[in-house]
Amino acid sequence: MSGMPLLAVKLEKFLKILMADYGDEEFKSKITTALQEIMYIVLESIDDNSTLKGALKRDEISRKFKNINTSDIKKNIWSEKVNRLHLLLTFKESGTDVPLNSEARRRITFFVNSLFMNMRSAPKVSNMRSFSVLTPHYKEEVLYSDEELNKENEDGVSTLFYLKTIYPDEWTNFKERMKDKQEEEEKEERRKWVSYRGQTLSRSVRGMMYYKKALELQCAMEFTESISNEEDCIRKQKLPDLKFTYIISCQIYGNLKRSKDTRQKDILNLMIMYPSLRVAYIDEVDEALKEKTEGKTEKVYYSVLIKGDTINYSEREIYRIRLPGSPTKIGEGKPENQNHAIIFTRGEALQTIDMNQDNYFEEAFKMRNVLEEFPHSHGAQKPTILGLREHVFTGSVSSLAWFMSNQEFSFVTIGQRFLASPLRVRFHYGHPDIFDRIFHITRGGISKASKTINLSEDIFAGFNSTLRLGSVTHHDYMQVGKGRDVGMNQISLFEAKVANGNGEQTLTRDVHRLGCHFDFFRMLSFYCTTVGFYFNSLVTVLIVYVFLYGRLYMVMTGLEREILEDPQIKNNNALEAALVTQSFIQMGMLLVLPMLMEIGLEKGFRTALGDFFIMQLQLSSVFFTFQLGTKAHYFGKTILHGGSKYRATGRGFVVQHSKFADNYRLYSRSHFVKALELGLLLVIYEVYGESYRNSSLYLFITFSMWFLVGSWLFAPFIFNPSGFEWQKTVNDWTDWKWWMGIRGGVGIQPENSWESWWDEEQEHLRYTSIRGRVLEILLALRFFVYQYGIVYHFDIAHHSRSLLVYGLSWCAVLVILIVPKIVSVRRLQMFHMDLQLPLRMLKGLLFLILLVVMIILFKFCGLTLSDLFASILAFMPTGWAFILVGQACKPCLHKLLWEPIKEVARAYDFMMGLLLFTPIAFLSWLPAVNEFQTRILFNQAFSRGLHISMILAGKKDGGASVN
């Protein structure tokens, strides 16, 4: 090894000679001398043995190199290798030359680490398995237009301005590259720059076409030796197209073309840019009937495959296959979008990539290694689906995006790894998974498409594979980029869609068959990792209800007083200590453990603990507790009534303010109503048990429940950008009042009218069964418990337990519901103008009668002010029960009492909205709350030195000056 420095010097000199332009004789002389010097150094470094030196003397070495042939060295094939070797030897890289861009560092780090993982050896490109990539596309963005780039939202923030602020270093690099470009060329490149940082189809296409680029480079490396052969040269050029096929399944491409939609032109541009790209779509044609019926036509549907024609700058049809009918009428949109195009895929493997995904050039080189997993057994069977990990690239936008990114990160890494081995219950959860195409295309395809029941088409592909004796694996050494929803409302819509899908899974035969065929332990693993997670979320919420209603019964009957005043139970410190631990665990600490473990494995446990601490400061517990309510509500709703539907969440950049009315529409029935009910139970439990409760036991019992109530009520407003800005709060109140007052009707959208929204919220009851309606009525009867328990504690009842007290309370309820309806303005307007004066006199008389009755009750019957407040706690839930029962019995009450029920419901919604809006308005009035909330919501941006306030404030404060 002592001769290595000198050998490096001589080798560098040798390479310089090869790169220089000498005459033939001089070139041969210098080459011979350089090779001799290299050989001397090698021999002297290998062994100092005199025998070796005697056997190979210098003159013998010189004689051997004199006959060297240097005629082939100057060919292009050698010059390329010489230049590459010279660069490797002479390039001096400093250890401090680390990329400044965090994304570049992350990609380099993962790629280098993955090279040390267990990875199959890659075959030659000519011997590798061929594969296809299939991407379904509907109406999502393909490439942002100039209008969309510069279109400003209500805060004066455009998409271009947003991205320039979020990615300042990348924008600086882009401006540097565009220095010498023409204006039109720069404008087109700017569109691509923005589109490649959003969740667009052009980003996915660019990422997936890296597969072909990687194969071309690998072919160039393999065919270097025989490049002089013309046949091999052609093979080198065509082999990547034989091994890789990319198809976009855009079912509405024909409609886009007929309507001259700009997205059709953008897709055509992609086909021109990438000649090997193919697009499949459904063509609807009117054809004349073959029978003797003149002038009559029928709708005929074709599945069509097209490619780009680079010469004529147009599309060219390749195949056209007639379909038996419209696919979208048979099943869900996305599964059918995949099903009609799968016939056009080629090869032995098929990768299903969603529209919001991306790929990386360095990861594309590992595709040969991944495909080699198919012929090797993983346990009992060979794999039929290869699972890959995902990287969520939207995690740096806001704290919500960071929470979802970390949650997804733990799910697609340590979670999927554990499901695959040792549990062996991993299914097709992630879109970058690679299917054994031959296996699945002969067993029903990769998507079940029955409407509603197969809403979550991904996991049904895994069910189908496992039931047919296939195996699903997971591999960590390759990853694919993925975009996620980054706004509170987007995330909730996504969680609602997944919860609906899991509810439908619970009702399917697939889950039943899997449970019957698995062994006991695998069955338990299957339950806990699929529908069991959502069922447990539902049970967790139901347990809170059961616990509080049980406590309400105990405190109202006096049973709790007798228990707590028992000398054996008083000052029971062991019980209180146990309840403290229980309350801590109920904060969701156990759910964070997988996230901590995976971040610790990837980045170190110090980083994991630091991230966990920062997440708690950013109120992550509030967010995850809120999402628990989303899962429980939509899962339970699907179990009761079915009828789940696809919910479009959007792919845009969400940092804009959501109006109060929008949040109320989205979360009223799933969170707000339930939180107010639980809050009312907690208040009653505290008020009627305070007199005999003398320890901190109550706080230990109810702390986590109060936390749940607060999270469900205010999380949408805490995580709403500019949620506590005074001017936006004023505008939200104006918009809320307008929305509540507008009457509904045909063509009036739910976002424009409370009545239309209220009708839409009951849509699930239109298609439910009798069983579903009966269960809704039985569940609504729980609200009568409030009234029954509280009226016997009125001072006016004088501790009587007679049924007469309960009967009189119902009389009071009827008076409260009927009298306001009689004297309402809407009712008076129905009469003739001549009767207005008598009716107003009747209104005054009724008021006087009620006033006299109240005075008599206060003076002679023992009515107190506390009874009035208690009556609110008792009678408000009763009115809500009437509304729920009326909704369930709508077919019977539609012509009789439906309008009064609607008006009562409007009053309840207005009161709930006012109750929620009051603390928001108060916090908006305080000056520092808005800045504090912005810091919580966008801490990642602050930590990276970004001026997020420029985005939130828009261009009003000079934000437009960013270049």
Side-chain angles (χ1 to χ4, degrees), residues 3-20 27 30-42 65 78 81-92:
M4 285 299 295
L6 183 59
L7 178 62
V9 173
K10 296 297 182 181
L11 185 56
E12 183 180 347
K13 178 182 177 182
F14 172 69
L15 294 173
K16 286 181 179 180
I17 296 172
L18 292 177
M19 296 167 61
F27 180 70
K30 289 182 177 292
I31 284 289
T32 303
T33 304
L35 286 174
Q36 289 175 2
E37 292 176 353
I38 292 174
M39 194 64 180
Y40 297 153
I41 297 171
V42 171
F65 280 106
W78 282 102
K81 290 188 174 183
V82 167
N83 289 331
R84 189 181 305 161
L85 181 57
H86 182 266
L87 178 64
L88 292 173
L89 287 175
T90 59
F91 183 72
K92 303 296 190 294

Short mmCIF file of all heavy atoms in Angstrom, two decimals, residues 3-20 27 30-42 65 78 81-92:
data_model
loop_
_atom_site.label_atom_id
_atom_site.label_comp_id
_atom_site.label_asym_id
_atom_site.label_seq_id
_atom_site.Cartn_x
_atom_site.Cartn_y
_atom_site.Cartn_z
N GLY A 3 2.98 2.16 -2.15
CA GLY A 3 3.13 2.71 -3.47
C GLY A 3 1.87 3.32 -4.06
O GLY A 3 1.89 3.79 -5.21
N MET A 4 0.75 3.35 -3.30
CA MET A 4 -0.51 3.86 -3.82
C MET A 4 -0.45 5.34 -4.22
O MET A 4 -0.96 5.71 -5.30
CB MET A 4 -1.62 3.63 -2.80
CG MET A 4 -2.08 2.19 -2.72
SD MET A 4 -2.75 1.56 -4.28
CE MET A 4 -4.21 2.61 -4.41
N PRO A 5 0.13 6.23 -3.42
CA PRO A 5 0.19 7.64 -3.85
C PRO A 5 0.94 7.81 -5.17
O PRO A 5 0.50 8.55 -6.06
CB PRO A 5 0.91 8.33 -2.69
CG PRO A 5 0.66 7.45 -1.51
CD PRO A 5 0.66 6.06 -2.04
N LEU A 6 2.09 7.12 -5.29
CA LEU A 6 2.87 7.23 -6.53
C LEU A 6 2.11 6.61 -7.71
O LEU A 6 2.15 7.12 -8.83
CB LEU A 6 4.22 6.54 -6.35
CG LEU A 6 5.19 6.64 -7.55
CD1 LEU A 6 5.49 8.10 -7.88
CD2 LEU A 6 6.48 5.89 -7.23
N LEU A 7 1.39 5.50 -7.43
CA LEU A 7 0.60 4.86 -8.49
C LEU A 7 -0.49 5.80 -8.99
O LEU A 7 -0.78 5.86 -10.19
CB LEU A 7 0.00 3.55 -7.96
CG LEU A 7 -0.90 2.79 -8.94
CD1 LEU A 7 -0.10 2.36 -10.18
CD2 LEU A 7 -1.53 1.58 -8.26
N ALA A 8 -1.14 6.53 -8.07
CA ALA A 8 -2.19 7.48 -8.47
C ALA A 8 -1.64 8.57 -9.37
O ALA A 8 -2.27 8.98 -10.35
CB ALA A 8 -2.85 8.08 -7.22
N VAL A 9 -0.44 9.05 -9.05
CA VAL A 9 0.20 10.09 -9.87
C VAL A 9 0.48 9.56 -11.28
O VAL A 9 0.22 10.23 -12.29
CB VAL A 9 1.49 10.60 -9.19
CG1 VAL A 9 2.24 11.56 -10.13
CG2 VAL A 9 1.16 11.27 -7.87
N LYS A 10 1.07 8.35 -11.36
CA LYS A 10 1.40 7.77 -12.65
C LYS A 10 0.15 7.48 -13.48
O LYS A 10 0.13 7.65 -14.71
CB LYS A 10 2.20 6.48 -12.45
CG LYS A 10 3.55 6.68 -11.79
CD LYS A 10 4.49 7.55 -12.64
CE LYS A 10 5.85 7.71 -12.00
NZ LYS A 10 6.74 8.58 -12.82
N LEU A 11 -0.92 7.02 -12.78
CA LEU A 11 -2.15 6.70 -13.50
C LEU A 11 -2.80 7.97 -14.05
O LEU A 11 -3.35 7.98 -15.16
CB LEU A 11 -3.12 5.97 -12.56
CG LEU A 11 -4.43 5.45 -13.18
CD1 LEU A 11 -4.12 4.51 -14.35
CD2 LEU A 11 -5.27 4.74 -12.13
N GLU A 12 -2.72 9.06 -13.28
CA GLU A 12 -3.26 10.33 -13.77
C GLU A 12 -2.48 10.81 -14.99
O GLU A 12 -3.06 11.31 -15.97
CB GLU A 12 -3.19 11.38 -12.65
CG GLU A 12 -3.78 12.72 -13.04
CD GLU A 12 -3.71 13.73 -11.91
OE1 GLU A 12 -3.43 13.31 -10.76
OE2 GLU A 12 -3.90 14.93 -12.19
N LYS A 13 -1.16 10.63 -14.97
CA LYS A 13 -0.33 11.00 -16.12
C LYS A 13 -0.70 10.16 -17.33
O LYS A 13 -0.78 10.65 -18.47
CB LYS A 13 1.15 10.79 -15.75
CG LYS A 13 2.12 11.10 -16.88
CD LYS A 13 3.55 10.83 -16.44
CE LYS A 13 4.53 11.06 -17.60
NZ LYS A 13 5.93 10.76 -17.21
N PHE A 14 -0.94 8.88 -17.12
CA PHE A 14 -1.33 7.97 -18.19
C PHE A 14 -2.67 8.41 -18.83
O PHE A 14 -2.82 8.43 -20.05
CB PHE A 14 -1.43 6.56 -17.63
CG PHE A 14 -1.99 5.55 -18.58
CD1 PHE A 14 -1.29 5.16 -19.72
CD2 PHE A 14 -3.24 5.00 -18.36
CE1 PHE A 14 -1.82 4.23 -20.60
CE2 PHE A 14 -3.77 4.09 -19.24
CZ PHE A 14 -3.07 3.69 -20.35
N LEU A 15 -3.62 8.80 -18.00
CA LEU A 15 -4.93 9.23 -18.51
C LEU A 15 -4.82 10.54 -19.29
O LEU A 15 -5.52 10.73 -20.30
CB LEU A 15 -5.92 9.37 -17.35
CG LEU A 15 -6.29 8.07 -16.64
CD1 LEU A 15 -7.14 8.37 -15.41
CD2 LEU A 15 -7.04 7.14 -17.58
N LYS A 16 -3.96 11.43 -18.86
CA LYS A 16 -3.77 12.69 -19.58
C LYS A 16 -3.20 12.43 -20.97
O LYS A 16 -3.53 13.12 -21.94
CB LYS A 16 -2.86 13.61 -18.79
CG LYS A 16 -3.52 14.23 -17.57
CD LYS A 16 -2.55 15.17 -16.83
CE LYS A 16 -3.25 15.80 -15.64
NZ LYS A 16 -2.33 16.71 -14.89
N ILE A 17 -2.29 11.44 -21.07
CA ILE A 17 -1.74 11.08 -22.38
C ILE A 17 -2.85 10.55 -23.29
O ILE A 17 -2.92 10.89 -24.49
CB ILE A 17 -0.62 10.03 -22.22
CG1 ILE A 17 0.55 10.63 -21.44
CG2 ILE A 17 -0.15 9.52 -23.58
CD1 ILE A 17 1.61 9.61 -21.06
N LEU A 18 -3.70 9.71 -22.75
CA LEU A 18 -4.80 9.17 -23.54
C LEU A 18 -5.75 10.27 -24.02
O LEU A 18 -6.32 10.18 -25.11
CB LEU A 18 -5.59 8.14 -22.72
CG LEU A 18 -4.87 6.83 -22.38
CD1 LEU A 18 -5.76 5.96 -21.50
CD2 LEU A 18 -4.49 6.07 -23.65
N MET A 19 -5.93 11.32 -23.19
CA MET A 19 -6.84 12.39 -23.55
C MET A 19 -6.19 13.41 -24.48
O MET A 19 -6.90 14.21 -25.12
CB MET A 19 -7.33 13.11 -22.27
CG MET A 19 -8.15 12.20 -21.35
SD MET A 19 -8.38 12.91 -19.70
CE MET A 19 -9.28 14.40 -20.10
N ALA A 20 -4.86 13.43 -24.58
CA ALA A 20 -4.16 14.43 -25.41
C ALA A 20 -4.18 14.02 -26.87
O ALA A 20 -4.46 12.86 -27.23
CB ALA A 20 -2.73 14.60 -24.91
N PHE A 27 2.45 9.13 -29.64
CA PHE A 27 1.41 8.61 -28.74
C PHE A 27 1.78 7.21 -28.24
O PHE A 27 1.67 6.91 -27.06
CB PHE A 27 0.07 8.59 -29.48
CG PHE A 27 -1.08 8.09 -28.66
CD1 PHE A 27 -1.60 8.83 -27.61
CD2 PHE A 27 -1.64 6.85 -28.92
CE1 PHE A 27 -2.66 8.36 -26.87
CE2 PHE A 27 -2.70 6.37 -28.18
CZ PHE A 27 -3.21 7.14 -27.14
N LYS A 30 4.79 7.40 -25.70
CA LYS A 30 4.40 7.88 -24.37
C LYS A 30 3.53 6.88 -23.63
O LYS A 30 3.65 6.68 -22.42
CB LYS A 30 3.67 9.23 -24.49
CG LYS A 30 4.57 10.39 -24.90
CD LYS A 30 3.80 11.68 -24.96
CE LYS A 30 4.73 12.85 -25.29
NZ LYS A 30 5.66 13.12 -24.19
N ILE A 31 2.64 6.22 -24.35
CA ILE A 31 1.78 5.21 -23.74
C ILE A 31 2.62 4.06 -23.21
O ILE A 31 2.44 3.57 -22.08
CB ILE A 31 0.75 4.69 -24.76
CG1 ILE A 31 -0.35 5.72 -24.96
CG2 ILE A 31 0.14 3.37 -24.31
CD1 ILE A 31 -1.27 5.89 -23.81
N THR A 32 3.58 3.61 -23.99
CA THR A 32 4.45 2.49 -23.58
C THR A 32 5.22 2.85 -22.33
O THR A 32 5.30 2.06 -21.37
CB THR A 32 5.41 2.13 -24.72
OG1 THR A 32 4.66 1.81 -25.89
CG2 THR A 32 6.27 0.95 -24.34
N THR A 33 5.82 4.05 -22.31
CA THR A 33 6.60 4.47 -21.14
C THR A 33 5.72 4.56 -19.90
O THR A 33 6.12 4.11 -18.81
CB THR A 33 7.25 5.84 -21.42
OG1 THR A 33 8.04 5.75 -22.61
CG2 THR A 33 8.12 6.26 -20.26
N ALA A 34 4.53 5.11 -20.04
CA ALA A 34 3.63 5.27 -18.90
C ALA A 34 3.19 3.92 -18.35
O ALA A 34 3.14 3.71 -17.13
CB ALA A 34 2.42 6.12 -19.30
N LEU A 35 2.88 2.99 -19.22
CA LEU A 35 2.46 1.66 -18.78
C LEU A 35 3.60 0.93 -18.09
O LEU A 35 3.39 0.19 -17.11
CB LEU A 35 1.95 0.85 -19.97
CG LEU A 35 0.57 1.24 -20.52
CD1 LEU A 35 0.25 0.45 -21.78
CD2 LEU A 35 -0.51 1.01 -19.48
N GLN A 36 4.82 1.09 -18.59
CA GLN A 36 5.97 0.45 -17.95
C GLN A 36 6.15 0.97 -16.53
O GLN A 36 6.38 0.20 -15.59
CB GLN A 36 7.23 0.71 -18.79
CG GLN A 36 7.28 -0.05 -20.10
CD GLN A 36 8.49 0.34 -20.94
OE1 GLN A 36 9.30 1.15 -20.52
NE2 GLN A 36 8.59 -0.25 -22.13
N GLU A 37 6.04 2.29 -16.35
CA GLU A 37 6.21 2.87 -15.01
C GLU A 37 5.13 2.37 -14.05
O GLU A 37 5.40 2.08 -12.88
CB GLU A 37 6.16 4.40 -15.11
CG GLU A 37 7.36 4.99 -15.84
CD GLU A 37 7.25 6.49 -16.01
OE1 GLU A 37 6.16 7.03 -15.68
OE2 GLU A 37 8.21 7.14 -16.46
N ILE A 38 3.92 2.25 -14.56
CA ILE A 38 2.82 1.73 -13.71
C ILE A 38 3.10 0.28 -13.33
O ILE A 38 2.90 -0.13 -12.17
CB ILE A 38 1.48 1.86 -14.44
CG1 ILE A 38 1.09 3.35 -14.60
CG2 ILE A 38 0.37 1.11 -13.71
CD1 ILE A 38 -0.15 3.58 -15.44
N MET A 39 3.59 -0.50 -14.28
CA MET A 39 3.85 -1.91 -14.01
C MET A 39 4.97 -2.07 -13.00
O MET A 39 4.91 -2.95 -12.12
CB MET A 39 4.21 -2.62 -15.32
CG MET A 39 4.17 -4.13 -15.23
SD MET A 39 2.50 -4.72 -14.90
CE MET A 39 2.79 -6.49 -14.86
N TYR A 40 6.04 -1.25 -13.09
CA TYR A 40 7.14 -1.32 -12.12
C TYR A 40 6.61 -1.09 -10.70
O TYR A 40 6.96 -1.81 -9.76
CB TYR A 40 8.21 -0.28 -12.45
CG TYR A 40 8.87 -0.48 -13.81
CD1 TYR A 40 9.42 0.63 -14.50
CD2 TYR A 40 8.97 -1.74 -14.39
CE1 TYR A 40 10.03 0.46 -15.73
CE2 TYR A 40 9.59 -1.90 -15.63
CZ TYR A 40 10.11 -0.81 -16.30
OH TYR A 40 10.70 -0.96 -17.51
N ILE A 41 5.80 -0.04 -10.56
CA ILE A 41 5.27 0.30 -9.21
C ILE A 41 4.42 -0.83 -8.67
O ILE A 41 4.50 -1.20 -7.49
CB ILE A 41 4.48 1.61 -9.28
CG1 ILE A 41 5.39 2.77 -9.68
CG2 ILE A 41 3.81 1.91 -7.94
CD1 ILE A 41 4.64 4.06 -9.97
N VAL A 42 3.58 -1.42 -9.51
CA VAL A 42 2.70 -2.52 -9.07
C VAL A 42 3.52 -3.72 -8.61
O VAL A 42 3.27 -4.31 -7.54
CB VAL A 42 1.73 -2.91 -10.20
CG1 VAL A 42 0.96 -4.19 -9.83
CG2 VAL A 42 0.75 -1.78 -10.48
N PHE A 65 5.89 -4.47 -23.80
CA PHE A 65 5.07 -3.32 -24.13
C PHE A 65 5.40 -2.70 -25.48
O PHE A 65 4.69 -1.81 -25.94
CB PHE A 65 5.19 -2.25 -23.03
CG PHE A 65 4.34 -2.55 -21.83
CD1 PHE A 65 4.92 -3.01 -20.66
CD2 PHE A 65 2.97 -2.39 -21.88
CE1 PHE A 65 4.14 -3.29 -19.55
CE2 PHE A 65 2.19 -2.66 -20.78
CZ PHE A 65 2.76 -3.12 -19.60
N TRP A 78 -13.65 4.41 -26.06
CA TRP A 78 -12.57 4.49 -25.07
C TRP A 78 -12.46 5.89 -24.49
O TRP A 78 -12.21 6.06 -23.30
CB TRP A 78 -11.24 4.10 -25.73
CG TRP A 78 -11.07 2.63 -25.89
CD1 TRP A 78 -11.24 1.89 -27.01
CD2 TRP A 78 -10.72 1.71 -24.85
NE1 TRP A 78 -11.02 0.56 -26.77
CE2 TRP A 78 -10.69 0.42 -25.43
CE3 TRP A 78 -10.44 1.84 -23.48
CZ2 TRP A 78 -10.37 -0.72 -24.71
CZ3 TRP A 78 -10.12 0.70 -22.76
CH2 TRP A 78 -10.10 -0.57 -23.37
N LYS A 81 -14.84 6.45 -21.56
CA LYS A 81 -14.41 5.78 -20.33
C LYS A 81 -13.21 6.46 -19.71
O LYS A 81 -13.11 6.59 -18.48
CB LYS A 81 -14.10 4.31 -20.62
CG LYS A 81 -15.32 3.48 -20.94
CD LYS A 81 -14.95 2.01 -21.03
CE LYS A 81 -16.20 1.15 -21.19
NZ LYS A 81 -15.88 -0.29 -21.22
N VAL A 82 -12.26 6.91 -20.55
CA VAL A 82 -11.06 7.59 -20.04
C VAL A 82 -11.44 8.89 -19.33
O VAL A 82 -10.94 9.19 -18.25
CB VAL A 82 -10.07 7.85 -21.19
CG1 VAL A 82 -8.98 8.82 -20.75
CG2 VAL A 82 -9.46 6.55 -21.67
N ASN A 83 -12.33 9.66 -19.94
CA ASN A 83 -12.76 10.91 -19.31
C ASN A 83 -13.44 10.66 -17.96
O ASN A 83 -13.23 11.39 -17.00
CB ASN A 83 -13.71 11.66 -20.24
CG ASN A 83 -13.01 12.24 -21.45
OD1 ASN A 83 -11.83 12.57 -21.37
ND2 ASN A 83 -13.72 12.35 -22.57
N ARG A 84 -14.27 9.61 -17.90
CA ARG A 84 -14.97 9.30 -16.65
C ARG A 84 -13.99 8.87 -15.57
O ARG A 84 -14.08 9.29 -14.42
CB ARG A 84 -16.00 8.20 -16.90
CG ARG A 84 -16.94 7.95 -15.72
CD ARG A 84 -17.91 6.84 -16.04
NE ARG A 84 -18.64 7.13 -17.27
CZ ARG A 84 -19.27 6.20 -17.99
NH1 ARG A 84 -19.23 4.94 -17.59
NH2 ARG A 84 -19.91 6.53 -19.09
N LEU A 85 -13.00 8.02 -15.94
CA LEU A 85 -12.01 7.56 -14.96
C LEU A 85 -11.13 8.72 -14.49
O LEU A 85 -10.80 8.82 -13.31
CB LEU A 85 -11.15 6.45 -15.57
CG LEU A 85 -10.09 5.84 -14.66
CD1 LEU A 85 -10.72 5.27 -13.39
CD2 LEU A 85 -9.31 4.76 -15.40
N HIS A 86 -10.77 9.60 -15.40
CA HIS A 86 -9.95 10.77 -15.03
C HIS A 86 -10.71 11.66 -14.06
O HIS A 86 -10.13 12.21 -13.10
CB HIS A 86 -9.55 11.54 -16.29
CG HIS A 86 -8.66 12.72 -16.00
ND1 HIS A 86 -9.16 13.99 -15.84
CD2 HIS A 86 -7.31 12.80 -15.83
CE1 HIS A 86 -8.16 14.82 -15.59
NE2 HIS A 86 -7.03 14.13 -15.58
N LEU A 87 -12.01 11.83 -14.30
CA LEU A 87 -12.81 12.66 -13.39
C LEU A 87 -12.87 12.04 -12.00
O LEU A 87 -12.76 12.74 -10.98
CB LEU A 87 -14.22 12.81 -13.97
CG LEU A 87 -15.22 13.61 -13.13
CD1 LEU A 87 -14.78 15.07 -13.00
CD2 LEU A 87 -16.62 13.55 -13.73
N LEU A 88 -13.05 10.73 -11.92
CA LEU A 88 -13.12 10.06 -10.62
C LEU A 88 -11.80 10.18 -9.85
O LEU A 88 -11.81 10.31 -8.62
CB LEU A 88 -13.48 8.58 -10.81
CG LEU A 88 -14.90 8.29 -11.32
CD1 LEU A 88 -15.06 6.81 -11.61
CD2 LEU A 88 -15.94 8.75 -10.31
N LEU A 89 -10.68 10.13 -10.57
CA LEU A 89 -9.38 10.19 -9.89
C LEU A 89 -8.99 11.59 -9.47
O LEU A 89 -8.30 11.78 -8.48
CB LEU A 89 -8.30 9.60 -10.81
CG LEU A 89 -8.31 8.09 -10.99
CD1 LEU A 89 -7.27 7.66 -12.02
CD2 LEU A 89 -8.06 7.37 -9.67
N THR A 90 -9.38 12.58 -10.25
CA THR A 90 -8.88 13.94 -10.01
C THR A 90 -9.86 14.82 -9.27
O THR A 90 -9.48 15.89 -8.78
CB THR A 90 -8.54 14.61 -11.35
OG1 THR A 90 -9.72 14.64 -12.18
CG2 THR A 90 -7.44 13.84 -12.06
N PHE A 91 -11.15 14.41 -9.17
CA PHE A 91 -12.14 15.27 -8.51
C PHE A 91 -11.94 15.21 -7.00
O PHE A 91 -11.98 14.15 -6.39
CB PHE A 91 -13.55 14.84 -8.87
CG PHE A 91 -14.62 15.73 -8.28
CD1 PHE A 91 -14.82 17.01 -8.79
CD2 PHE A 91 -15.40 15.29 -7.23
CE1 PHE A 91 -15.80 17.82 -8.25
CE2 PHE A 91 -16.38 16.10 -6.68
CZ PHE A 91 -16.56 17.37 -7.20
N LYS A 92 -11.70 16.35 -6.40
CA LYS A 92 -11.49 16.46 -4.95
C LYS A 92 -12.71 17.11 -4.32
O LYS A 92 -12.96 18.30 -4.49
CB LYS A 92 -10.24 17.30 -4.65
CG LYS A 92 -8.96 16.76 -5.29
CD LYS A 92 -8.60 15.39 -4.74
CE LYS A 92 -7.22 14.96 -5.20
NZ LYS A 92 -7.14 14.72 -6.64
#
